[in-house]
Amino acid sequence: HDVQHLLSTTLTPQEHEVIRMRFGLDYGRQDGLTLTKIGSRFGLSRQTIGHIEQTALHKLRTSYRSIMVEKYLYDDHADEVSV
């Protein structure tokens, strides 16, 4: 899975788990868990889980953009880019 690979290579184990729980990945659920429910599983506050989620999403966005730029540059477009 490309998504699982991106999650596991970009995020800390805690961030990975929070994202999986929040968005219902690998749990056979259509909906994810609330910040409060995830917090109780980790023994952390809702606010702390929200912060972990935001940090993880930022990392994923940044990583995904980097992957797309690299793919563009190395897939027959390198000659279009001048430095």
Side-chain angles (χ1 to χ4, degrees):
H1 247 63
D2 289 332
V3 171
Q4 290 301 333
H5 179 72
L6 182 63
L7 292 175
S8 64
T9 58
T10 306
L11 305 178
T12 67
Q14 184 181 49
E15 291 166 342
H16 184 182
E17 189 64 17
V18 167
I19 293 299
R20 287 177 52 209
M21 295 170 97
R22 185 73 171 127
F23 293 97
L25 306 174
D26 297 337
Y27 289 98
R29 298 174 54 108
Q30 292 286 32
D31 55 337
L33 300 176
T34 65
L35 296 175
T36 303
K37 287 183 181 180
I38 297 170
S40 31
R41 292 187 182 193
F42 279 97
L44 300 170
S45 72
R46 176 178 64 83
Q47 292 83 2
T48 300
I49 295 298
H51 179 73
I52 292 168
E53 176 188 17
Q54 291 306 309
T55 300
L57 291 174
H58 177 74
K59 284 182 178 181
L60 290 171
R61 281 186 207 104
T62 304
S63 177
Y64 182 73
R65 283 187 201 119
S66 296
I67 290 168
M68 298 314 313
V69 168
E70 282 182 28
K71 186 173 182 164
Y72 180 82
L73 291 176
Y74 295 109
D75 286 351
D76 298 330
H77 297 287
D79 58 335
E80 297 174 19
V81 179
S82 62
V83 180

